[in-house]
Amino acid sequence: MDSLLWFLTTLIQIYTYALIIYILMSWFPNARDTKIGQMLATICEPYLEPFRRIIPPIGMIDVSPIVAFLVLRFATKGLYALFDMLNLV
């Protein structure tokens, strides 16, 4: 079961890196129009969209990705707690 926990937390970490890259691409003109930008948009936008509907931007700054990162972090901690509770780790 350690391998399942490792696999799930690794997936969350890779997704976090994808979100970071996607968010940083917004700082560069036309970066999201590239094939990589479009691929990351397909992966990241469905996750970010609910947070953007709930949390409005503050001025020109979109703070919803910060909350999205926190949710991923809590999910990772929850996985560790669940596996620990089930004595699988």
Side-chain angles (χ1 to χ4, degrees), residues 24-64:
L24 290 177
M25 288 179 88
S26 69
W27 295 358
F28 301 100
N30 301 324
R32 288 189 177 173
D33 295 333
T34 63
K35 289 188 187 245
I36 294 172
Q38 292 171 356
M39 179 190 69
L40 287 174
T42 303
I43 295 168
C44 298
E45 279 299 325
Y47 179 67
L48 291 173
E49 186 61 33
F51 296 105
R52 288 188 178 134
R53 276 187 267 138
I54 296 169
I55 305 163
I58 300 173
M60 295 292 294
I61 299 172
D62 183 15
V63 294
S64 60

